[in-house]
Amino acid sequence: MIVLKFGGTSVGSAERIKKVAELIKGNEKKIVVLSAMSGTTNSLVEIASNLFKKQNEVAANLINGLKLNYIETVNKLYATAEYQEKGKELINSHFNFLLSFTQDSFTIHEEKAVLAQGELLSTALLQFYLEEMKIKSALIPALQFMRIDKDLEPDDFYIQENLSRIISENDDQQIFITQGFICRNRYGEIDNLKRGGSDYSASLIGAAINAKEVQIWTDIDGMHNNDPRVVDNTRPIKHLTYDEAAELAYFGAKILHPSSITPTKNSNIPVRLKSTLDPDSDGTLITSKTESKGLKAIAAKDNIIAIKIKSGRMLLAYGFLRKVFEIFELYRTSIDMITTSEVAVSVTIDDDTNLKEIEKELLKYGTVEIDRDQTIVSVVGEFLEQDKGVASRILECLKGVSIRMISYGGSNHNISFLINTEDKKKALVKLNALFN
Ligand code: ADP
Ligand code: ASP
Ligand code: MG
């Protein structure tokens, strides 16, 4: 069995949904994971935020505006009156659910149910289209098998047990359609795998069924060697190892959700990144094999916060680092980069939910400086052992960019720099010279 995941742009219009149907028909048994149509989750976030602020009229206008896009999609997608009708009924039921919150109370607990509507809609629209085209398929609800546990981590056992059961109950089917992103939490409530989480769904599903391959279909022909949103002349990379892909995803390559490589890596399932706009292009293949050494790609992650803690004593006494890290652990805030000197330690985080509390605790051990609007730039490859000169070449490229932190040697795949976000474009463009 294979898993194919289609992202927001790949299901972003009636024409794109028809293209997906073209790509998935055929005899191989498969699970198709869909995101919401592009723009929908952002709109739902805005709707939920207005409902939360009791701006019910604004929320109602946003809901009705979004509904019009869906009506247009249904009009273009289905050829028969029967399916036009079915499509409209489907839209009415989801949008009436959303509108009900403008008449009634809305609490933050309902936010996740609002966000889930995008994936519920896109999968039902595709399923109807396949039915209309007489392509046999089954819609299997992610809310019946995808679950996170008390630590908000995927409950692998539950996912595997329930997904296998559902698939074996539908043994006569070749094509299964399901939602990315959405899941249930340990209380059985609707939750999600965080923004961009459909990639993670696909990878978890791939691992649960021990798929032959997981394919991530998106709007670009694979992982590029630099951020295509910032730099011109980037190129797709033919092959990456799981570790390289994971580092790039973690450090800002938006094409993959940061956690999405782990399940496939652990089960040694190949991941292929493909373009729905150019299905014949090679894309990127991600496996455990190292096919080429050296520099592979550059990624950047924004919204980073740097925290410098200067020890109250003259030198970093033993136990100081432990106390500092314990504070971040207590507030479940993960650290991306670390550098130390004799008297201070600098760390970076990307989640400021508990920053105030963390700062208060850290102040017990020394002075604390916090800088926002930082960006981590990561140079990723398989280089440390093979090419001792790589660090100096990279630093040479970064001449003229002020560097706040450098992390080198933590893994064989990554050299990272912390810079001001305003210098990001300059840094990425300069580093692109490494590929010439
Ligand atoms: P989807 O909706 O299919 O999940 P995303 O927008 O999440 O698509 O991811 C694809 C986008 O990731 C591309 O359009 C591209 O702008 C961006 N991106 C950022 N870094 C990279 C990279 N190194 N290689 C390819 N795409 C990248
Ligand atoms: N629809 C969700 C989002 O926009 C999940 C995804 O697209 O991967 O974040
Ligand atoms: Mg995505």
Side-chain angles (χ1 to χ4, degrees), residues 5 35-36 41 119 181 195-199:
K5 175 257 170 176
S35 296
T41 312
E119 274 70 12
F181 180 56
R195 295 304 307 273
S198 297
D199 305 324

Side-chain angles (χ1 to χ4, degrees), residues 48-77:
S49 135
N50 278 289
L51 288 171
F52 188 63
K53 290 185 286 188
K54 302 266 175 282
Q55 308 274 11
N56 287 353
E57 218 181 296
V58 182
N61 285 337
L62 289 167
I63 294 167
N64 287 321
L66 186 63
K67 184 176 172 183
L68 286 181
N69 297 343
Y70 277 86
I71 300 280
E72 193 190 318
T73 305
V74 161
N75 285 336
K76 291 189 179 150
L77 186 58

